[in-house]
């Protein structure tokens, strides 16, 4: 019975992989993607909005570290069994970790509690640094879902460190770029809102 279950599970995995067809690639070459993806903040400060305070009151948002499979402009597709492919018909306009850092900064600015700086904007030692590791921003074939996972690291002016893991999953996503892209944006915004709530607490 155990062997039969394993065969059924294997066949299901193969069927899901075949359903993606030409949407994924194990290689790094090929023609340019037909679609470029970015992240846009669901919450953003309106034009003319200001936030003032001393440098020590500011939050500096740093680009998070990322696993090697996320340190490229391709969209990972988790095939199961530790196998990873990449979406062939779409790519990020730039590194997903950089896009995610900007999304975090925009979301924090929308809350307006403190001045928010990004890398290259710091004029001194900020009060709080927000960094961390982007460990997932992918499409999961078996679950037909996109997953965004961020391990946040918050450090204070006196050396205090707090870490917390944030995750968002959007289920029911087909294997095409026009479905995966918006779902990734939705999940990334969900994580950004969670982080903003945490930073404001």
């Amino acid at each position: 019975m155990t062997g039969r279950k394993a065969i059924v599970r294997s066949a299901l995995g193969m069927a899901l992989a075949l359903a993606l067809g030409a949407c994924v690639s194990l290689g790094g070459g090929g023609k340019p993607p037909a679609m470029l993806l970015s992240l846009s903040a669901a919450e953003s400060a309106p034009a003319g909005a200001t936030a003032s305070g001393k440098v020590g009151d500011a939050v500096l948002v740093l680009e998070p570290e990322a696993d090697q499979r996320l340190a490229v402009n391709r969209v990972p597709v988790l095939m199961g069994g530790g196998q990873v492919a990449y979406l062939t018909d779409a790519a990020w306009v730039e590194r997903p970790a950089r896009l995610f850092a900007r999304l975090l900064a925009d979301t924090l600015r929308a809350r307006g509690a403190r001045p928010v700086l990004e890398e290259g904007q710091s004029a001194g030692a900020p009060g709080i640094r927000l960094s961390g590791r982007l460990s997932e921003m992918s499409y999961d074939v078996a679950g037909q879902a996109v997953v965004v996972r961020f391990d946040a690291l918050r450090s204070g002016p006196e050396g205090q460190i707090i870490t917390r893991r944030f995750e968002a999953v959007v289920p029911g996503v087909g294997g095409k770029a026009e479905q995966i892209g918006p779902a990734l944006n939705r999940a990334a915004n969900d994580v950004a809102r969670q982080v903003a709530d945490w930073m404001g607490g």
Side-chain angles (χ1 to χ4, degrees):
M1 189 68 177
T2 302
R4 183 176 296 176
K5 286 183 178 178
I7 292 172
V8 170
R9 192 177 297 115
S10 177
L12 178 60
M14 290 178 64
L16 288 169
L18 289 172
L20 282 171
C23 292
V24 301
S25 168
L26 295 172
K31 61 184 181 180
M35 184 182 299
L36 291 176
L37 305 177
S38 187
L39 296 176
S40 59
E43 295 183 36
S44 60
T50 62
S52 61
K54 297 179 181 179
V55 173
D57 297 328
V59 176
L60 176 62
V61 179
L62 301 171
E63 180 179 334
E65 297 179 2
D67 292 354
Q68 187 59 42
R69 59 193 169 80
L70 293 171
V72 295
N73 291 26
R74 311 287 299 279
V75 179
V77 177
L78 309 179
M79 306 295 288
Q83 297 184 59
V84 179
Y86 287 97
L87 208 60
T88 57
D89 52 351
W92 295 109
V93 295
E94 56 184 324
R95 290 193 309 271
R98 182 174 294 176
L99 291 170
F100 185 68
R102 288 180 185 153
L103 178 66
L104 282 174
D106 285 344
T107 305
L108 286 167
R109 284 192 192 100
R111 303 299 175 93
R114 292 170 175 259
V116 178
L117 304 174
E118 298 178 56
E119 285 187 81
Q121 293 183 321
S122 179
I128 296 175
R129 290 175 182 265
L130 175 61
S131 59
R133 179 170 152 270
L134 184 64
S135 58
E136 205 66 81
M137 190 177 281
S138 312
Y139 177 70
D140 177 33
V141 172
Q144 289 193 301
V146 300
V147 182
V148 175
R149 185 179 303 120
F150 175 55
D151 294 308
L153 172 60
R154 172 180 174 167
S155 55
E158 298 179 6
Q160 314 97 314
I161 292 178
I162 307 173
T163 63
R164 184 170 175 179
R165 170 167 286 188
F166 299 92
E167 181 178 276
V169 178
V170 177
V173 181
K176 294 185 178 181
E178 53 265 30
Q179 296 172 280
I180 293 174
L184 283 168
N185 190 66
R186 180 179 163 193
N189 270 281
D190 188 344
V191 170
R193 282 191 291 266
Q194 293 177 46
V195 174
D197 289 341
W198 177 60
M199 292 292 288

